[in-house]
Amino acid sequence: PAERFPAPDGDRGPDVAVIGAGLTGLTAGLLLRRAGLSVIVLERQRVSRAATAHTSAHLTAVPDAPLRTLVARFGESGAQEVVRACREALDTVETLCKELAADAGFVRVPAFRWSERAGDRDELRDEALAAARLGLHATLVDSTPLPFEVAAAIRFDDQALVQPLRYTARLARAFVEEGGSLYEETPVESVEAEGDDRARLEAAGHVVHARAVVHATQTPVGRVLSVQTRLAPVTSYVCVARLAS
């Protein structure tokens, strides 16, 4: 059975409050704790039972936005910084798996973005060229491991797979052992500025005063209109199949 982490029994005053105990929140919490900060992680339900528990276990350094769109919006150097950050994030998960979670099965694998439509080939070619310029190991190919033909595909090398629940279970234990505070069943109801350098969080009947807040959630808690006005509900699907070797 998964380890339990009780709700808080009083108010708290850490350097950093992290909202959400999934893969993102626990990784951030552990790294911040190792940087010498006092950190608490607040989870509405149980550790890693929301988005992290329902992923495909596929880790990628390829941003969701088309790379040519990133270049158009932020310039070549800005897009390179986005890709660099994504690659470093993947490398961080690999490092932590080697240290804490060897049983999480981290393995480097290629990823593919493909199309069966011949008319998409030029778009995929241009995206592969942009990816290579920005620092990804990307090539345009004519075939994939899929059991059907494709018109073209981008092959991204050095992506990864991991068992997310094993990874986050080890992160949670390491975070607590290294002095972090982790609280389950502690929903954060509000986040408000408190003076010039602190935030006030209300969570499960308690108050947290923190110098900084990390929203490791699907959407920020409270009103963050610059983000929330750009959000829309999206359902994605994952097909799992065993391919012939």
Side-chain angles (χ1 to χ4, degrees):
E3 187 172 359
R4 300 301 298 260
F5 300 92
D9 56 4
D11 296 348
R12 295 289 184 271
D15 293 322
V16 184
V18 178
I19 306 173
L23 189 153
T24 300
L26 290 171
T27 301
L30 180 61
L31 295 178
L32 289 165
R33 181 70 197 116
R34 289 182 171 182
L37 300 173
S38 59
V39 185
I40 68 170
V41 175
L42 304 166
E43 168 55 43
R44 179 168 59 96
Q45 300 175 351
R46 298 287 310 283
V47 165
S48 301
R49 287 301 185 269
T52 296
H54 298 89
T55 71
S56 64
H58 175 220
L59 302 177
T60 180
V62 182
D64 287 340
L67 296 169
R68 289 174 297 157
T69 300
L70 292 179
V71 172
R73 290 180 178 175
F74 306 112
E76 193 95 358
S77 62
Q80 286 174 342
E81 286 299 302
V82 172
V83 169
R84 180 191 59 78
C86 291
R87 292 180 63 184
E88 288 183 0
L90 204 157
D91 291 344
T92 296
V93 175
E94 181 177 25
T95 298
L96 289 173
C97 280
K98 289 178 179 178
E99 177 192 352
L100 303 171
D103 63 339
F106 184 99
V107 60
R108 293 280 184 170
V109 297
F112 296 87
R113 180 181 296 172
W114 53 271
S115 177
E116 295 178 90
R117 297 187 294 268
D120 291 339
R121 184 179 181 85
D122 288 348
E123 180 179 345
L124 289 170
R125 179 202 62 210
D126 292 344
E127 190 73 357
L129 291 172
R133 287 199 313 273
L134 297 176
L136 291 166
H137 301 295
T139 53
L140 186 71
V141 297
D142 295 319
S143 62
T144 73
L146 295 168
F148 51 82
E149 292 185 358
V150 300
I154 308 172
R155 175 182 170 124
F156 297 98
D157 286 313
D158 292 332
Q159 308 309 295
L161 293 174
V162 72
Q163 212 294 349
L165 295 184
R166 291 177 185 169
Y167 172 66
T168 52
R170 305 302 182 270
L171 280 184
R173 173 47 34 206
F175 173 68
V176 171
E177 289 178 348
E178 295 183 27
S181 298
L182 173 56
Y183 301 113
E184 293 180 320
E185 298 178 349
T186 307
V188 176
E189 290 96 13
S190 67
V191 180
E192 303 290 343
E194 186 176 59
D196 295 332
D197 60 351
R198 298 193 77 81
R200 184 180 191 275
L201 296 78
E202 294 187 2
H206 301 292
V207 175
V208 176
H209 304 275
R211 288 171 47 204
V213 179
V214 176
H215 291 264
T217 54
Q218 291 291 320
T219 180
V221 176
R223 289 184 297 175
V224 185
L225 298 182
S226 61
V227 175
Q228 290 158 346
T229 54
R230 302 182 184 186
L231 297 178
V234 175
T235 299
S236 59
Y237 299 89
V238 174
C239 179
V240 179
R242 187 179 299 277
L243 302 179
S245 59

